[in-house]
């Protein structure tokens, strides 16, 4: 493995074991010249406390719902100068709720930007409230007895926007995420990656387990790594789990997290069914 | 520097949250003899606190927050988490 | 295109944006601003304007997009109105606090419900706290001139600039305009300046931090905006040298020897001037102080000009529970009577002004201090069905 | 001297365009002018009011015209549904697209039909009416023609200019 | 829960909302308002509050959703702060123009950039033109009381009501609160009333139409808001009978015999009171006029109370290019000096006030008319790095 | 055919041949007790000029981006009263641009409302500007030489929201639209219908051709009628055109509209390819 | 009625845009002998200007805008569009 | 009399909770009290300041405490990284979770560990510290215990109450 500096500097205000930090580090390893647009969210804090900044690249903080639009403007400006930098929107799943029209608008315009949703399945910066992507039955401060709705499948919805590149990734599989970024950076137009980002305080697990939990999600099939670049394919880490028999540890995955405390077997069965559905759905696409 | 720049422009530098090494409860300690310098811990350290000096893998304790991810991802089990004094 | 022609306000603004060599336009349609957007889209499509046009999906995104292009160093423009302005309100504050120069035209329109597309200045005035430079045009010529002045002033003080223009009365009305040749505009508008440019250097804009930084930045903005008074003076003098037209902070009309002074802004000021001419014929010593800028609010100049006169402030807007917005502001520095009229686009013409001014000068408009007078009284008196 | 003109037409007949053409023509004559469309949502077929002001001095007012010096009526039917008197000054006059019924008359529909100026079944009378109005308002024929050519292009401009020219000549006092 | 306890402002508000038997809550999290939302979600989830909780995806939708439930006849509540408030700004105007009663709590917070979560009253004051009734709490007890008063007043005059409370200083600070028993709240809050209820009868709300209707409606709102002065007087007297606590438009503190009068609002008024007590010990005749309501702005009362005094207005907010917002408003009816302080959450405590008031009373704060004084001067004097 | 009164009253301000009027009439024929929420758009005008209203039902005008959220609040209020009326959001495609986060949010919450996007493929009320759903190459005032991006596939995107009911419909096939509404009204939760609404002034065709043009779109396969109620199926009117050979008149469809003036054969070929893709995509779903 | 209701609440009634029959250029005329009362024209009339009185199909000319859709959808070609006087 | 107390702790140690418990206890004693958390983003492990005010009269001020009557330090390490003097009034005193180094000392960590009050490797010292502080601040032991039981529930409440009781008794003057 080539050891190089990333853009994320040590001593920043992220929590111990923060998934956004993992993702931002990988981002810096994959892209040479990123310009990063960050709407409100934990990453706002991770990005540093004035007068010091965490990220060694141009970074612009922007209002919560605005990031892909601001990025569109920057893309226009860069185009007029022939500037070739990668314009990256780094946002949370909450940003994708309030800003969904903005993401969708930029996608429909096929703006030349990369939008990454670092998805920790809740509004963490404001203290763990339910978002669209919050897992069914997960306890948050606005769903104290567990969320009653299914999670929103952001990546699939973006796929239907018919943009040139859509992928899922996970902080448990950084080389895969880096690969995807490297592929994405060679494509022009709107690129979207949903990065699965288990959060220790938000999901209630020990800070040492961020990577482990992320991997459990993939192994039990609850988080599926795939990529669309004209054609949909499952990523190597997820490929084995097309075979349902190979998926393992759903119960362990759920029980390892405080947010699922009290979940019962019939709930787990329901979740399993939904997971099967999701695989079937993606397979239908794979063959399309 | 104008007031606008002074108040709006932050410059990249380590320790924007101070010496975050102070946050640790547990301290990661590398067993040099076990480590094979695969650098997985470097890749997965969310702080970027791990580096390679020559063939040696080093942890920057000034900023390492003690999350324990390095220890948990090390296939060689070469990192032990030790309670801070 | 140059020389004298007739144009609507919307067309004139688009023309000014073109002449300013704007590089990025992002805007979202809303009646009655739409034609500006359409004209610019057409100019970009046909190559008449060498710029990028971003067809955003909302006003919040319109201002966000030009924020992006402006912070990255490009001359940028947007336009909106009423609900569009309210929808981008978060971004309005953001760009001002970020001290990014750009220009936006606001076609003033009533806020709903009920849905109403006619003029009313309340929308524009919701921007008055935010740090934007705010101008208001009286006619199509001024809409054109202020837009060009806007780029110059905005870039000189690193603050966003807006020019208001009345819905339909200016936006859709064709009037005589003297256009400018490109070379003069080029001379008048130097290379773009701004306090910082985003995109090249590794720095972060807008991190949280100790409160003192916020406070310092706010005071700096306050002072920059106050300082804009001088900049407007200077720039409008320069512009006058080129064009013979003055676009300064204020316009005095037969004010010198007036005992009664009317304060107002926007398209209906022209009707008021006609009314004043009529009343002057009857030797009523009345004059007008037209506000061409509301921010910065040139209190000292206003106070000096109105000193010793009986002042009537005319608002086409309202701060509910307080009074007319200009009324509240002007009363800060002089005693004044306040009329709210033309709300929701109600047509107020020369005859109305003659009546109003007469009643005022006869001392019959005496309303409670800090109260206001709603004009025309007839429509408020009884039910309408 | 300020003259205030109201144009009454059905949406789609081009009342606003006529006002703009006349305003432009007046400017070409060295005058000041202002053309104001009806404010609001105008649907094809609905009754539309447009305003035109002409003056030797800059025009400052922007309000609508309540009492006009001239009312121009683009369709005879309008005479039956609008109280024209009410919007006309005592000394004012009307000009109508009809054989009779106004102070001035012109069969603009016929001119349009003859020139095949038709859209969705309707004769497009605006340029003919503009020509007729120009005459009664003292705007030079050449200016209207030029204003029309600046407004439209190619063949369309030619035909419309012709319509205006014919109407300019043919308009007559009725009563 | 009733009797004396300690609670944060956020908790107390949630408690008040529960006691008011609110039926629909929709809100979107934003620091430092979040806890209100969480508490209410919890209460609904646990059945402690028999209501619907809508987990909306933005603030625009939060206010839209409670607009829907309120217009359909249900007592409804939301809360927000800063950027959330700006993001729902279009809806803010809409609900006021639609004359729908509902209650919103605004935890006042600085607007970015830079990102800053600390208190500053500018966000709340952007609502001042729109037709909302606007109150501001000094302490947790008032946050609780005003929320309950809010439902009563809002429904009585058919206007939306907001109560502001300072970020952290109230929202997160635990203080002594005397709660109310359900039966008293039930007595105090009659059945919901509103000017029209949507959903049953076949009619349409908000159609475009002749401008006169808009104008009439605006004047009616203006008057309803003015009339709210009387309603607040009445309702707060009733509330005082039940609780012994007055929540009227204004609070006078040692003002009677004061030669110097300070005007301000919000949590730091408490610090100012302590400072006044100190200075009174030195026999400086200084007193406080605390604004508990900003809309309606009780000009006449203010003028009467401040008559003949030297007035200092303290703003924790700013109207760029004009002055402190309260400064501008108060100067409408009396001469005053204006200080802007505590911007961006800067801590201003008893010692600061002692200094300020002393300098003021010594006549050393003489700033240019319509200018303002920025406090504390130190932080503005030189660079900070 | 049973002749009954609908909710749309004569003499309203819609243009001649207005598709929204057709849709609203059908709505009134299908639902007994609708409550209609209308954001800004042509329908704002169609709904009448004060003091008279066009629609004989409770109608609430609301801000452009807010309709599904307002409807959510009304649904909550009705639920508390046990009121059973159908809450219908009647919006344009422009409303679905600016308000897409709002639609998506309500869908994710599975609100008990029917959202109908009457899609005339542009912002008509403001004078024919491009929207997300504007057809590729269509001329609008903001795309004077033809729109450069593909149209946004709203219904497919809503399908990915996994709501109980999603359908497309057309003003050329009102009985089909009525059927779908009748089916939708029996389902609880979030229901979405995208109604194809050719607009005479906006697309530049004669007012008598609204229905004809709508039918041409279906016959050439450019607009596909389908329905998802747990399972995706093609509607009878579109079913024949699964067989590509049966699709006819694409060129005629395009050339009948002024907005496609100047479109050339290679453009039409591209459009045909995209149409084929869309069918393939939906067929993949049909079998899923 | 309060001012609020007077200004905000509109009541359903025909002709909110006036007598829209005036907008017509062409007028639809039903050939009674050809019409079979299938009511397709009724279904597709965007104005709701067509109704059935007994067995007779009628057009409300006060409001019919003359769009011509009825004529175009009638399979029997029973509606002719006639230029208005 | 108004007394102003600053608590210094690491995020996760529960400094804010301690302040709230003491405030509640003071109210139970018939006093007035106010507990203010550090304003801003607090991360596990980072240094956190909380404020506590106690008084016989209603407390009106809401600003932070710059010079405290009492500074309470939840971890010995903090002594090395913070200039305590600077935030303490001349006549003020400190109370430290340590065997020495403050005016008052208490080994709260030991008490917590003994009671198995541990989370993520850390002893949870807030209730013990609350107990010790209560004593030095003149708050009744019963009130702290009750305040703790009002704050937590079940077994957790019991153990924490015990911690407070022990610390209340064990706190001692150091120098
Ligand atoms: C308009 C607006 N509303 C609300 C907020 C408050 N806010 C800041 S971050 C955040 C949640 C962020 O959640 P997410 O995007 O998932 O990022 P995370 O914190 O989980 O990384 C919220 C609600 C805001 N800044 N602006
Ligand atoms: C926030 C806001 N932005 C813009 C507008 C202006 N506006 C009103 S309707 C409309 C377009 C509507 O388009 P669509 O939803 O497709 O409906 P259509 O008119 O085509 O039926 C726009 C942009 C508005 N009312 N509010
Ligand atoms: S809450 Fe989670 S996502 Fe946010 S900073 Fe902490 S670890 Fe990272
Ligand atoms: S992961 Fe383990 S083996 Fe690899 S470099 Fe780190 S400590 Fe050494
Ligand atoms: S404990 Fe965490 S922060 Fe420290 S070196 Fe290991 S991974 Fe990095
Ligand atoms: S423009 Fe089209 S959609 Fe709008 S009212 Fe006219 S016909 Fe209907
Ligand atoms: S569609 Fe034709 S046949 Fe059928 S009812 Fe109408 S006119 Fe008669
Ligand atoms: S012409 Fe149009 S409006 Fe008239 S009856 Fe036929 S379909 Fe209806
Ligand atoms: Mg998140
Ligand atoms: Mg549309």
């Amino acid at each position: 493995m080539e050891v190089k500096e990333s853009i994320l500097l040590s001593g920043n205000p992220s929590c111990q074991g923060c998934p956004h930090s993992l993702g931002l580090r990988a981002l810096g390893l994959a892209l040479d010249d990123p310009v990063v647009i960050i709407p409100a969210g934990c990453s706002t804090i991770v990005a540093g406390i004035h007068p010091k900044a965490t990220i060694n690249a141009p970074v612009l903080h922007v209002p919560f719902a605005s990031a892909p639009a601001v990025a569109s403007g920057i893309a226009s400006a860069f185009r007029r100068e022939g500037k070739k930098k990668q314009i990256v929107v780094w946002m949370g799943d909450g940003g994708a709720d309030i800003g969904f029209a903005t993401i969708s608008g930029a996608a429909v315009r096929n703006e030349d930007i990369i939008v990454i949703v670092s998805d920790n399945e809740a509004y963490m910066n404001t203290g763990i409230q339910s978002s669209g992507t919050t897992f069914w039955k997960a306890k948050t401060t606005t769903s104290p007895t567990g969320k009653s709705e299914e999670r929103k499948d952001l990546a699939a919805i973006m796929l239907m926007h018919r943009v040139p590149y859509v992928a899922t990734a996970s902080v448990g599989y950084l080389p895969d995420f880096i690969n995807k970024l490297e592929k994405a950076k060679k494509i022009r137009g709107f690129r979207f990656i949903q990065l699965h980002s288990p959060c220790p305080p938000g999901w209630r697990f020990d800070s040492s387990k961020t990577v482990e939990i992320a991997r459990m999600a993939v192994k039990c099939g609850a988080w599926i790594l795939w990529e669309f670049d004209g054609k949909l394919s499952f990523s190597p880490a997820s490929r084995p789990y097309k075979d349902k028999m190979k998926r393992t540890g759903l119960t362990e995955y759920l029980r390892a997290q405080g947010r699922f405390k009290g979940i019962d077997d019939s709930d787990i069965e329901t979740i399993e069914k939904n997971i099967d559905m999701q695989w079937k759905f993606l397979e239908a696409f794979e063959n399309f | 520097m104008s007031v606008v720049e002074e108040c709006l422009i932050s410059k990249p530098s380590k320790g924007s949250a101070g010496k975050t090494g102070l946050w640790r409860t547990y301290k990661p300690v590398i067993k040099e003899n076990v480590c094979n310098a695969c650098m997985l811990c470097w890749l997965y350290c969310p702080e970027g606190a791990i580096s390679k000096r020559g063939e040696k893998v080093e942890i920057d304790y000034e900023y390492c927050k003690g999350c324990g991810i390095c220890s948990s991802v090390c296939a060689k089990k070469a990192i032990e988490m030790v309670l801070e004094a | 295109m140059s020389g004298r022609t007739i144009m609507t306000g919307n067309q004139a603004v688009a023309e000014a944006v073109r002449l300013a060599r704007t590089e990025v336009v992002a805007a979202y349609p809303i009646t009655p601003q739409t034609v500006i957007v359409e004209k610019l889209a057409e100019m970009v499509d046909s190559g008449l304007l060498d710029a990028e046009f971003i067809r955003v999906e909302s006003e919040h995104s319109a201002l966000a997009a030009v924020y992006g292009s402006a912070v990255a160093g490009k001359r940028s423009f947007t336009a909106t109105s009423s609900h569009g302005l309210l929808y981008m309100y978060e971004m309005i504050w953001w760009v001002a606090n970020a001290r990014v120069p750009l220009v936006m035209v606001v076609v003033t329109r009533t806020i709903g419900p009920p849905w109403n597309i006619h003029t009313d200045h309340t929308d524009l005035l919701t921007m008055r706290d935010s740090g934007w430079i705010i101008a208001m045009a009286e006619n199509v010529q001024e809409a054109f001139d202020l837009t060009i002045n806007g780029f110059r002033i905005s870039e000189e003080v690193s603050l966003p600039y807006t020019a208001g223009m009345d819905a339909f009365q200016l936006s859709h009305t064709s009037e005589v305009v003297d256009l400018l040749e490109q070379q003069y505009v080029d001379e008048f508008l130097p290379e773009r300046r701004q306090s910082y440019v985003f995109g090249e250097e590794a720095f972060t804009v807008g991190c949280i931090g100790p409160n003192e930084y916020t406070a310092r930045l706010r005071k700096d903005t306050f002072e920059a905006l106050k300082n804009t008074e001088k900049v407007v003076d200077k720039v409008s003098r320069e512009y006058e040298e080129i064009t013979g037209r003055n676009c300064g902070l204020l316009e005095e009309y037969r004010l010198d020897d007036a005992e009664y002074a009317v304060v107002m802004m926007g398209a209906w000021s022209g009707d008021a001037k006609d009314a004043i001419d009529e009343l002057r014929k009857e030797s009523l010593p009345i004059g007008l102080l037209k506000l061409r800028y509301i921010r910065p609010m040139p209190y000292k100049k206003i106070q000096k000009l109105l000193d010793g006169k009986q002042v009537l402030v005319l608002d086409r807007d309202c701060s509910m529970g307080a009074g007319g917005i200009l009324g509240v502001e002007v009363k800060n520095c002089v005693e004044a009577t306040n009329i709210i009229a033309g709300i929701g686009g109600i047509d107020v013409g020369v005859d109305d002004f003659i009546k109003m001014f007469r009643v005022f000068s006869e001392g019959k408009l005496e309303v409670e201090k800090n109260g206001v007078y709603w004009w025309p009284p007839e429509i408020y008196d009884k039910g309408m069905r | 001297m300020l003259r205030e003109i109201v144009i009454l037409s059905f949406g789609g007949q081009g009342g606003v365009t006529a006002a703009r053409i006349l305003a432009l023509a007046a400017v070409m004559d060295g005058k000041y002018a202002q053309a104001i469309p009806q404010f609001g949502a105008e649907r094809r077929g609905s009754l539309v009011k447009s305003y035109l002001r002409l003056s030797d001095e800059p025009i400052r007012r922007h309000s609508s015209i309540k009492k006009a010096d001239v009312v121009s009526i683009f369709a005879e039917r309008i005479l039956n549904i609008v109280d024209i008197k009410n919007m006309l000054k005592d000394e004012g006059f009307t000009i109508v697209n009809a054989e009779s019924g106004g102070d001035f008359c012109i069969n603009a529909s016929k001119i349009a039909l003859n020139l095949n100026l038709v859209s969705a079944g309707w004769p497009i009378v605006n340029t003919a009416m503009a020509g007729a109005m120009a005459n009664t308002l003292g705007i030079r024929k050449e200016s209207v023609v030029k204003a029309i050519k600046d407004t439209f292009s190619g063949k369309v401009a030619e035909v419309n200019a012709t319509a205006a020219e014919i109407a300019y000549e043919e308009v007559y006092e009725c009563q």
Side-chain angles (χ1 to χ4, degrees), chain D residues 10-174:
Chain D
F10 285 117
Q13 282 194 305
V16 188
T17 311
R20 287 209 61 203
I21 286 168
L22 288 167
L24 186 56
V27 171
M28 288 169 175
D29 279 358
K31 303 268 161 72
Y32 290 87
Q34 187 190 52
I36 313 182
Q38 162 141 325
F39 301 165
E42 161 201 328
R43 303 280 157 185
R44 182 173 186 82
S46 63
L47 188 72
V48 173
K49 243 187 210 176
S50 329
Y51 305 104
L52 171 67
R53 287 196 174 96
L54 303 172
S55 176
D56 302 321
E57 327 244 289
I59 298 166
R60 301 185 298 201
R61 61 186 65 184
H62 290 97
S63 50
S64 69
I65 297 169
K66 274 140 214 156
K67 284 274 187 192
D69 297 290
V70 180
V71 176
S72 170
I73 297 127
F74 275 34
E76 198 168 0
R77 269 194 295 154
I78 294 172
L79 293 171
N80 306 324
I81 52 178
V82 179
D83 179 5
I84 310 281
K85 285 262 145 55
N86 201 33
M87 55 177 70
L88 195 62
K89 286 188 192 157
D90 292 344
E91 64 280 26
F93 65 83
T94 60
I95 165 165
V96 196
N97 171 14
E99 300 286 348
S100 66
D103 297 313
F104 291 89
C105 295
I106 177 77
N107 195 331
S109 302
K110 206 177 79 194
I111 297 172
L113 288 169
N114 284 343
L115 291 166
N116 209 13
L117 278 167
V118 182
S119 157
W122 277 16
I124 299 303
V125 300
N126 57 352
T127 41
M129 285 304 289
M133 287 171 72
N135 186 335
T136 63
L137 292 166
I139 294 170
R140 294 189 316 136
K141 186 163 80 176
E142 299 69 46
S143 300
V144 201
V145 168
K146 187 155 184 329
I148 288 173
K149 291 189 175 163
D150 275 14
T151 305
F152 304 102
S153 62
K155 185 84 179 41
V156 179
E158 290 304 327
V159 183
N160 277 290
T162 307
E165 277 183 294
I166 297 173
Y168 197 98
E169 300 301 340
E170 287 193 356
V171 63
Y172 56 94
E173 253 185 277
C174 286

Side-chain angles (χ1 to χ4, degrees), chain A residues 152-191:
Chain A
K152 175 176 181 177
D153 189 352
L154 258 185
I157 292 170
M158 292 318 295
L159 194 62
M160 289 300 113
H161 279 76
R162 319 253 159 94
V163 290
Y165 188 83
V166 179
T168 60
S170 164
V171 297
Y173 297 86
L174 292 184
D176 172 72
F177 179 41
I178 291 171
N179 274 341
K180 284 168 176 168
L181 285 166
E182 278 170 350
K183 186 174 270 179
K185 81 180 174 195
K186 293 188 196 107
I187 298 171
R188 299 205 53 174
F190 192 88
R191 292 143 289 166

Side-chain angles (χ1 to χ4, degrees), chain C residues 283-294:
Chain C
S283 3
L284 185 73
I286 185 162
L288 172 74
L289 178 60
K290 185 183 83 180
L291 305 179
R292 209 182 272 109
Y293 282 80
I294 307 99

Side-chain angles (χ1 to χ4, degrees), chain B residues 30 34-42 57 73-76 78-79:
Chain B
I30 301 183
V34 184
C35 164
N36 67 358
C38 71
M39 299 319 282
L40 258 183
C41 55
W42 162 82
V57 180
V73 297
C74 175
K76 305 282 293 176
I79 302 181

